[in-house]
Amino acid sequence: MLRKIIPERDSDLEPLKDPGQVTGFSSPAGDYIQERLHIIQRLVKDPTNTFYFEMENNDMSQVGINKGALLVVDRSIKPRNGSIIVGHYEGEWLTRMLVSNQYLSKGPMDRKPIKIEENGILVFGVVTWACNPLVGEGSSDIIKLD
């Protein structure tokens, strides 16, 4: 079930403030009016522990996360095998796939996964959604036409 969030309406985008005033009576279809879907209802399960990041490179393109992608990261989810995580490892912030809780990989075709040493990795959170741009910044790096 989606959480009910009622966003403020932009009066400039509404065709009529009150359709019932135009004709003097309300529309019979008024009973079937639905609330607008707020994208946060779909993307965020735990608002308190959810953070947003922008992907700065194409390191994770093998798993469909491209430069410029908006990453929705949930800190309340425990990472497991195959999770895409945002973590701090050897002084660097990374987005990688966790493999067998022993390796950090850029994807299934990664020939050089990083072996997690004894001191481990500081996992910031698990990526729950990656929203890739289709137009604009970052999208031109996905497909290059020559």
Side-chain angles (χ1 to χ4, degrees), residues 34-89:
Q34 296 180 354
E35 295 293 328
R36 291 182 179 185
L37 175 66
H38 197 284
I39 192 70
I40 298 301
Q41 292 176 315
R42 181 80 172 129
L43 299 182
V44 177
K45 299 288 186 224
D46 185 356
T48 306
N49 290 305
T50 300
F51 295 84
Y52 306 93
F53 294 87
E54 183 177 351
M55 194 68 179
E56 292 182 352
N57 53 42
N58 279 318
D59 283 353
M60 297 298 295
S61 61
Q62 290 182 31
V63 293
I65 301 174
N66 300 311
K67 181 180 179 182
L70 172 70
L71 303 179
V72 180
V73 179
D74 193 332
R75 294 195 72 182
S76 66
I77 297 175
K78 184 177 179 186
R80 59 178 195 209
N81 184 34
S83 295
I84 305 296
I85 58 132
V86 172
H88 192 263
Y89 184 72

Side-chain angles (χ1 to χ4, degrees), residues 78-85 97-103 105:
K78 184 177 179 186
R80 59 178 195 209
N81 184 34
S83 295
I84 305 296
I85 58 132
M97 178 185 291
L98 187 62
V99 180
S100 303
N101 293 329
Q102 297 178 24
Y103 296 96
S105 171

Side-chain angles (χ1 to χ4, degrees), residues 26-34:
S26 61
S27 169
D31 294 340
Y32 301 100
I33 293 176
Q34 296 180 354

